[in-house]
Amino acid sequence: MTTAREREAIQHDFQTKMNEDELLNCMRCGFCLPACPTYIESGMQEKYSPRGRIALMKAVKDGLIEPDEEVERSLDLCLGCRACEPVCPSGVKYGELLEDARDIINQNKKHSLPVRMLRKGVLDGLFPHQNRMINVSSLLGMYQRSGLSKVARKIGFMELFPESMATMEKVLPSVPKRKEMKHRLRHFEPDIVKKATVAFFTGCLMDTMFLETNQSTITLLQKVGCEVVVPEGQLCCGALHGHSGEKEKAKQMAKQNIEAFEQVQADYIITNAGGCGAFLIGYDHLLKDEPEWADRAKSFVSKLKDISAILVDLDFHHQHLRLPDQIVTYQDSCHLRNVMRTFDEPRTLLKAIGGVTFKEMEGADRCCGSAGIYNIVEPDMSMQILDHKMEHVKETKAATIVTANPGCLLQMKLGIEREGLTGRIRAVHIVDLLLEALN
């Protein structure tokens, strides 16, 4: 609960820091309403819509209401999927407004001691340090390989956790050994005549828990004629910090990543995680007020490309691709679709695979409820969204659900487990499926 002094400080910063022009840009037309998952799932409550949240921000800025718990709750319940942006006729940059508002509230609010310790441990002590990410992930790998995971389930230890977290533990990928994560090549030659030099953004979770998917990404890039460089010194994109009201920390991480990639004279910077890509492509906005970094951030952003986009550009879909006959459907990564505006390319690649019948899922462009750590901090709304998503999955009769983001992948695996469909439906990252089809 915020104190009167905290509310006063929050209101002051809303008045001085929130973008007045962007708030006024919202015409209140309501085009965003049917695109917003929380508006729909909450029974169409206006305060849980993009239009409603912008109205609350504007009211706080104008001093019409206090930034109380109800305002904060409205902002917290937002998935940040940004599905409202492509449908907005005024082009309101809702994602930027949301992050600015969350940052102001977080910087002026004193969290409880347990929350402060958790935020400091995770946001300061873990994600900005890839070596620590490797160490923590390797412990998870030991837990899996030692058989402790089976024992924990058998004795009912996992029942001490919320149902969604207990189920998530079952669907986590097999984590590679520490040596595999720690010692890796940094340079890869193309398999055919060189067409481009690309710098690969490996990410934090992608380069630990999903290391195999990163390796698959590099292999596919080699197959289409890319020289691949993995810059040293890169780290987490900063999305978790930016979405959690830690903008200054996100800026520090952005600067380190820009410096790391400036060391490579690459034609493109490639990502394979929609959530990372969307935050990376916002570095120019994040650093727009810092003269030393603004142009460097623009240069960085200009080279960004999702893996599916470069594969289509370099005609990967014209190669001989084959899988056993099956129906495949695709779940969009919200940020890949709504921010990076990449949605046709994954579908082009999937439709090019022999033996695959591609079936579009109803609401494929709607968030699955993962949204970073949303499924942990807002499990009720997340599972409500996921349950409706799985209804649409079952309607396709697909054997394979394809995603382009680690959070989405885990969420769809979670949905499969919750529906009792394990063994009948699988969820897979698009690059792993493409490599499977190529081999």
Side-chain angles (χ1 to χ4, degrees):
M1 182 170 296
T2 53
T3 65
R5 180 174 291 181
E6 287 169 345
R7 290 196 294 273
E8 185 179 337
I10 291 169
Q11 193 139 37
H12 174 268
D13 281 2
F14 262 73
Q15 291 166 351
T16 57
K17 296 180 180 179
M18 290 298 292
N19 188 328
E20 175 81 12
D21 291 338
E22 203 60 55
L23 289 170
L24 290 172
N25 200 18
C26 176
M27 302 186 303
R28 314 290 191 265
C29 65
F31 275 71
C32 60
L33 301 183
C36 178
T38 54
Y39 174 73
I40 295 167
E41 298 292 344
S42 68
M44 300 185 180
Q45 294 188 55
E46 183 73 22
K47 63 183 176 180
Y48 297 134
S49 73
R51 180 177 69 177
R53 291 181 175 109
I54 290 174
L56 290 174
M57 295 178 206
K58 183 70 167 64
V60 171
K61 181 178 175 65
D62 293 343
L64 300 177
I65 62 172
E66 284 194 332
D68 57 15
E69 279 69 31
E70 190 171 358
V71 171
E72 189 175 350
R73 179 62 186 151
S74 172
L75 300 179
D76 284 346
L77 201 63
C78 180
L79 291 146
C81 69
R82 296 171 72 170
C84 50
E85 293 187 7
V87 299
C88 178
S90 298
V92 175
K93 296 175 182 176
Y94 173 79
E96 295 176 4
L97 289 173
L98 178 68
E99 288 186 2
D100 288 345
R102 284 176 168 172
D103 183 59
I104 289 170
I105 291 171
N106 180 66
Q107 296 308 317
N108 289 289
K109 178 181 177 181
K110 186 174 181 180
H111 295 285
S112 66
L113 181 60
V115 171
R116 290 203 306 273
M117 291 177 64
L118 181 63
R119 290 178 68 94
K120 187 168 183 62
V122 173
L123 298 179
D124 292 351
L126 181 59
F127 278 87
H129 308 280
Q130 192 62 11
N131 280 338
R132 296 178 191 175
M133 289 290 295
I134 290 172
N135 291 337
V136 170
S137 297
S138 65
L139 289 175
L140 176 59
M142 290 172 61
Y143 165 78
Q144 292 173 329
R145 291 188 293 273
S146 67
L148 279 174
S149 58
K150 294 179 181 178
V151 173
R153 292 174 210 153
K154 188 172 182 179
I155 65 175
F157 177 73
M158 296 310 299
E159 294 175 11
L160 299 174
F161 296 88
E163 185 221 344
S164 59
M165 288 185 67
T167 309
M168 182 69 78
E169 187 266 346
K170 293 181 183 178
V171 301
L172 289 175
S174 297
V175 179
K177 294 179 180 179
R178 187 176 185 278
K179 185 178 180 180
E180 296 175 63
M181 294 185 280
K182 190 80 174 172
H183 304 290
R184 57 166 322 160
L185 297 175
R186 295 279 172 182
H187 184 265
F188 302 84
E189 293 291 342
D191 287 351
I192 58 173
V193 175
K194 179 179 170 181
K195 297 179 181 177
T197 298
V198 302
F200 180 38
F201 182 82
T202 54
C204 48
L205 284 178
M206 287 301 299
D207 216 37
T208 49
M209 290 177 62
F210 296 91
L211 181 63
E212 184 178 345
T213 300
N214 269 3
Q215 300 290 19
S216 298
T217 302
I218 292 170
T219 300
L220 292 182
L221 289 168
Q222 290 177 283
K223 296 289 184 185
V224 292
C226 290
E227 176 188 7
V228 185
V229 181
V230 181
E232 293 192 57
Q234 61 173 300
L235 69 165
C236 171
C237 65
L240 183 60
H241 301 76
H243 301 330
S244 301
E246 295 283 354
K247 186 176 282 190
E248 287 306 313
K249 176 63 72 173
K251 285 182 179 181
Q252 294 172 24
M253 297 166 78
K255 291 172 185 176
Q256 185 167 334
N257 280 327
I258 290 170
E259 285 185 327
F261 280 83
E262 283 176 339
Q263 306 308 308
V264 180
Q265 298 300 311
D267 301 304
Y268 304 106
I269 297 170
I270 302 301
T271 71
N272 62 0
C276 296
F279 199 76
L280 294 170
I281 212 166
Y283 275 5
D284 54 348
H285 170 73
L286 189 66
L287 300 172
K288 66 180 176 18
D289 296 325
E290 302 195 27
E292 181 187 347
W293 290 94
D295 287 341
R296 295 166 73 179
K298 287 179 183 177
S299 176
F300 177 92
V301 167
S302 70
K303 295 182 178 183
L304 273 171
K305 218 174 191 45
D306 181 68
I307 179 63
S308 62
I310 194 169
L311 289 178
V312 170
D313 287 350
L314 298 180
D315 294 327
F316 179 82
H317 53 301
H318 292 151
Q319 300 203 34
H320 179 71
L321 305 171
R322 185 81 199 180
L323 287 172
D325 291 353
Q326 60 187 287
I327 296 174
V328 170
T329 194
Y330 179 70
Q331 166 61 29
D332 283 286
S333 157
C334 296
H335 288 130
L336 183 59
R337 183 183 183 100
N338 301 325
V339 183
M340 295 191 77
R341 304 298 169 93
T342 301
F343 44 88
D344 286 334
E345 292 89 338
R347 290 167 169 83
T348 296
L349 292 166
L350 294 175
K351 290 174 183 177
I353 302 173
V356 161
T357 300
F358 179 78
K359 190 159 185 182
E360 190 71 44
M361 184 201 316
E362 182 182 345
D365 58 345
R366 184 166 293 169
C367 185
C368 63
S370 172
I373 59 171
Y374 188 93
N375 54 6
I376 297 173
V377 297
E378 297 288 349
D380 292 340
M381 178 61 77
S382 176
M383 293 304 103
Q384 187 175 326
I385 292 170
L386 177 59
D387 289 345
H388 288 156
K389 177 67 66 178
M390 292 308 297
E391 290 174 9
H392 297 315
V393 168
K394 287 185 283 188
E395 288 168 2
T396 67
K397 296 182 169 54
T400 302
I401 310 167
V402 180
T403 73
N405 188 59
C408 303
L409 179 60
L410 288 178
Q411 186 81 338
M412 299 315 297
K413 285 176 177 283
L414 179 59
I416 291 169
E417 183 73 21
R418 280 168 62 87
E419 294 292 328
L421 297 171
T422 303
R424 287 189 281 163
I425 302 180
R426 64 170 178 160
V428 62
H429 193 289
I430 188 168
V431 297
D432 292 317
L433 189 76
L434 291 173
L435 187 58
E436 183 183 330
L438 186 63
N439 289 337

